[in-house]
């Protein structure tokens, strides 16, 4: 249910918010600032809806550690590893073996040329955003056994990503 809602939200945001910015040829800096503004808006909306308190959920993968020699490993570590490995394989398959994935890659490389080749960029950009929001939802689900959820959970990661973009450049 959460993953489906994330897909729908991501596609809507891609179609209503991000595609018009790309279509009107906004600079990458303006799109980045718009993304940060959208993030602040979403965090504040979540704060209004659910409040600032951290939400923790029961560990669905089990609470008894698995003993391997002298190591005690929680079952969610294995589950996270397996789910992430499956997602990597699925994404690799999507981007290299399907027409949709190849179209998404073409739009990422040069959306003008992709459009001239008949790819509907007004569908590919929202689909890309939808996939990224779905992956964010799955990440949120997978992190709940490790850390309680808060609206600001992604803030530190976003700060590191922003610093990487500033140091490495937008096109890297």
């Amino acid at each position: 249910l959460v993953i489906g809602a994330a897909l729908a939200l991501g596609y809507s945001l891609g179609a209503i918010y991000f595609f018009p910015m790309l279509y009107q040829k906004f600079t990458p800096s303006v799109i980045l600032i718009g993304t940060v503004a959208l993030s602040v808006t979403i965090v504040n909306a979540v704060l209004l809806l659910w409040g600032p308190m951290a939400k923790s959920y029961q560990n669905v993968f089990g609470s008894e550690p698995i003993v391997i020699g002298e190591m005690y490993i929680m079952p969610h570590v294995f589950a996270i590893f397996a789910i992430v490995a499956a997602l990597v394989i699925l994404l690799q398959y999507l981007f290299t073996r399907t027409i949709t994935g190849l179209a998404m890659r073409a739009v990422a490389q040069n959306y003008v040329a992709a459009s001239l080749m008949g790819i509907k960029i007004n569908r590919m950009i929202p689909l890309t955003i939808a996939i990224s929001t779905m992956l964010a939802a799955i990440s949120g689900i997978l992190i709940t056994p490790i850390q309680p959820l808060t609206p600001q959970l992604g803030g530190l990661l976003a700060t590191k990503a922003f610093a990487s973009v500033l140091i490495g450049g937008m096109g890297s």
Side-chain angles (χ1 to χ4, degrees):
L1 181 64
V2 171
I3 296 169
L7 275 168
L9 177 66
Y11 193 87
S12 300
L13 286 174
I16 295 167
Y17 191 75
F18 290 105
F19 177 71
M21 286 194 288
L22 290 169
Y23 187 73
Q24 294 175 6
K25 297 186 181 3
F26 285 15
T27 63
S29 302
V30 171
I31 295 172
L32 179 65
I33 291 168
T35 303
V36 171
L38 180 63
S39 173
V40 169
T41 304
I42 291 172
V43 166
N44 284 312
V46 169
L47 281 169
L48 281 173
L49 288 172
W50 289 289
M53 299 304 294
K55 305 270 189 223
S56 59
Y57 298 94
Q58 185 176 359
N59 188 347
V60 296
F61 303 114
S63 58
E64 283 294 316
I66 298 169
V67 180
I68 301 174
E70 294 185 19
M71 295 185 302
Y72 291 84
I73 303 172
M74 294 301 291
H76 65 262
V77 172
F78 294 112
I80 290 169
F81 181 78
I83 292 169
V84 169
L87 285 171
V88 167
I89 291 167
L90 284 172
L91 287 171
Q92 181 67 22
Y93 180 80
L94 171 73
F95 290 128
T96 59
R97 308 266 190 226
T98 66
I99 293 173
T100 302
L102 293 174
M104 291 170 71
R105 289 174 57 195
V107 170
Q109 287 293 318
N110 187 337
Y111 71 91
V112 174
S115 176
L116 292 172
M117 298 304 291
I119 297 172
K120 294 181 176 24
I121 61 170
N122 61 335
R123 291 188 186 159
M124 288 298 118
I125 292 170
L127 181 61
T128 304
I129 303 294
I131 290 172
S132 67
T133 55
M134 178 198 66
L135 291 173
I138 292 170
S139 299
I141 292 167
L142 292 178
I143 202 167
T144 54
I146 300 167
Q147 183 173 351
L149 293 178
T150 64
Q152 299 87 3
L153 183 62
L156 181 61
L157 182 60
T159 304
K160 290 178 182 177
F162 188 69
S164 299
V165 167
L166 290 178
I167 292 170
M170 290 290 281
S172 298

